[in-house]
Amino acid sequence: MVMPSPRARRIMGAALCGAAVLGGAPAASAQEGLDFGWLNGTNDQPEAPLKAGPVTWSLLIDTYYGYAFNRPSDHTVFPTTTAPRHNEFNLNLGVLGAEITGLPDTFGKLVLQTGNYVDTVTGTDATVGRGAFSSLASMRNVQQAYVGQRLTPDLSIKMGLFPAFIGIDSYWPQENWNYTHNLLSDFTPYYLMGGAVEGNLRPDLKAQFWLVNGWQSISQFGEGKGFGWSLNWTPSDRLSLTHNFLGGNFEADQSRTRYYSNHSVQWKYAENSVPGITHMALVAAVDYAYNTAGTQLPATSMGGAALLHRIAFSDQWALSLRASVYSDPQKLVAAAPPLAVGQSLSSDPLTTGEVTATLDYKPSPWLLHRLEVRHDMASIPYIAGPGGVTATPADLRTSGTRAVISSTLRF
């Protein structure tokens, strides 16, 4: 098969940018001829080769070997959603999907998933135990399932299970500059169940509006729905600004309301200006949230920040550096470790941070190899220690380092 040139692949990636928003992090508005393949959270591959009539098929196999230097005895790595097993070769994520792309006014998508990633992401959904006929047994292996209709060339509606666009990372690790997720993305929803209206307000401004069951939930905690929106402005192919918001009653205590905002800037500040470097880019993100007072807990704020820097040496090699920090005093959105029976986290406020370095090697557009080193820190014992988090008693530490080697095949 003759592959397109690197420049042609980037242009095709930009042309597909509007469609990519249906399967990953918020993509830039589709502006013909512009290159948005450099964005974090965007698939920069050429057009998918697996097509049959109006259906485009997708396949992803994401494997890894991870090593946590705290050496947890139960091989459980925490905190993480990606590569959560220590000293093992394992499957992080396997995906098979079908998307309706060849009908004029109708679209839809079904994505099935398996792997460690499914356990870490869906394991935080506490709403499926409410009543009957809603369970993770039936939904945990479904990553996306929605149907939609285009009302105009620039406006569409959809309903079902779709990725949440909060945070700066995509659900798909291959689309992100780093293999593991930053804390802002790990502590916010990865999926939403509900309805959405999306469209281009103008060529450089894309908007989405959501009405959903809740905060990373298949069903809902109470009787109120969650609501939110996403705005993405791309004044040029070197700059992308995104604002996301999600609000609603997302806790068992229905007297509390959460208002969560997420803001990010992505800037490609250099291109072919340094010998041996094709481009360099920065991402800066800030999250702020407010939970109103409830019957048992006072009002509280939470939030964090992340900074990413990417150096692309060629279409094959790239280095990404990242730091993120998150403060969650009442531990309302921070992922809870799978503690041993009878164990609990310290009652002190939680602030956690991480620094990560990732080296990418892409021998073809369909294959990606990565080497990543990450160090986590926390203000209270929160990171898996040598005794493990599922042992009795659970062993949590205030710091930990891990390394991951991954190989990802995606069509």
Side-chain angles (χ1 to χ4, degrees):
M1 179 173 59
V2 178
M3 296 304 302
S5 68
R7 177 60 181 166
R9 292 202 301 268
R10 289 194 292 268
I11 293 175
M12 285 191 289
L16 294 170
C17 213
V21 76
L22 301 177
S29 303
Q31 300 175 59
E32 185 176 357
L34 298 185
D35 172 14
F36 293 109
W38 60 272
L39 288 169
N40 180 65
T42 299
N43 186 17
D44 64 351
Q45 293 179 316
E47 188 175 0
L50 304 178
K51 287 191 173 183
V55 179
T56 298
W57 295 89
S58 58
L59 172 70
L60 180 140
I61 303 172
D62 180 21
T63 62
Y64 72 94
Y65 171 81
Y67 190 90
F69 290 91
N70 281 352
R71 294 181 294 179
S73 58
D74 60 0
H75 285 209
T76 304
V77 178
F78 185 87
T80 192
T81 53
T82 309
R85 300 292 295 172
H86 157 66
N87 196 21
E88 293 180 3
F89 295 95
N90 223 311
L91 175 67
N92 182 59
L93 182 63
V95 165
L96 178 63
E99 182 175 8
I100 304 300
T101 56
L103 298 180
D105 297 318
T106 303
F107 61 91
K109 195 169 189 177
L110 175 64
V111 179
L112 305 179
Q113 62 179 358
T114 188
N116 299 154
Y117 195 71
V118 178
D119 292 324
T120 59
V121 170
T122 63
T124 59
D125 190 338
T127 64
V128 292
R130 184 187 186 202
F133 312 127
S134 179
S135 69
L136 285 181
S138 61
M139 293 299 298
R140 68 186 302 277
N141 294 114
V142 180
Q143 183 192 106
Q144 300 176 54
Y146 59 79
V147 295
Q149 181 179 355
R150 297 179 187 88
L151 304 178
T152 72
D154 291 318
L155 181 66
S156 64
I157 58 173
K158 66 180 178 182
M159 184 169 64
L161 179 67
F162 49 86
F165 304 122
I166 303 168
I168 55 175
D169 282 348
S170 167
Y171 192 111
W172 308 73
Q174 165 263 348
E175 297 184 350
N176 303 317
W177 291 357
N178 301 95
Y179 186 58
T180 61
H181 294 284
N182 73 89
L183 295 173
L184 276 63
S185 294
D186 262 352
F187 293 166
T188 50
Y190 277 94
Y191 57 84
L192 299 170
M193 176 72 86
V197 178
E198 56 190 15
N200 294 317
L201 302 181
R202 62 188 195 193
D204 63 349
L205 182 60
K206 185 175 183 65
Q208 300 178 22
F209 299 92
W210 320 311
L211 182 64
V212 298
N213 284 343
W215 179 279
Q216 183 146 325
S217 58
I218 300 298
S219 301
Q220 61 188 63
F221 287 100
E223 301 310 316
K225 296 286 189 294
F227 66 96
W229 58 78
S230 175
L231 298 172
N232 176 238
W233 179 41
T234 52
S236 76
D237 61 352
R238 290 193 174 200
L239 184 63
S240 175
L241 296 90
T242 301
H243 160 70
N244 297 311
F245 174 85
L246 185 63
N249 301 110
F250 300 137
E251 300 178 45
D253 182 353
Q254 285 297 292
S255 62
R256 309 194 81 186
T257 300
R258 180 177 306 155
Y259 304 99
Y260 199 99
S261 62
N262 160 252
H263 313 82
S264 64
V265 177
Q266 301 200 49
W267 176 37
K268 184 168 65 171
Y269 66 89
E271 185 171 24
N272 297 320
S273 58
V274 178
I277 296 176
T278 60
H279 72 264
M280 292 184 285
L282 285 169
V283 173
V286 175
D287 284 15
Y288 176 78
Y290 179 76
N291 254 61
T292 61
T295 56
Q296 299 180 353
L297 292 173
T300 187
S301 299
M302 68 198 82
L307 182 65
L308 291 72
H309 185 227
R310 184 168 177 88
I311 304 172
F313 303 103
S314 67
D315 282 351
Q316 288 76 41
W317 291 94
L319 174 67
S320 299
L321 305 175
R322 182 186 71 203
S324 65
V325 62
Y326 205 95
S327 175
D328 185 7
Q330 294 181 4
K331 308 172 195 66
L332 298 176
V333 299
L339 294 169
V341 177
Q343 302 292 306
S344 61
L345 287 176
S346 167
S347 59
D348 294 333
L350 171 65
T351 298
T352 184
E354 58 84 23
V355 290
T356 300
T358 308
L359 180 64
D360 287 4
Y361 171 56
K362 187 188 297 184
S364 83
W366 320 112
L367 183 62
L368 174 63
H369 302 299
R370 286 181 149 169
L371 171 63
E372 179 167 295
V373 178
R374 170 173 172 155
H375 181 70
D376 286 274
M377 306 146 283
S379 60
I380 62 173
Y382 184 67
I383 297 156
V389 295
T390 57
T392 304
D395 183 10
L396 296 173
R397 304 298 172 98
T398 57
S399 67
T401 302
R402 53 187 144 131
V404 181
I405 299 173
S406 69
S407 293
T408 306
L409 177 71
R410 180 178 181 180
F411 290 98

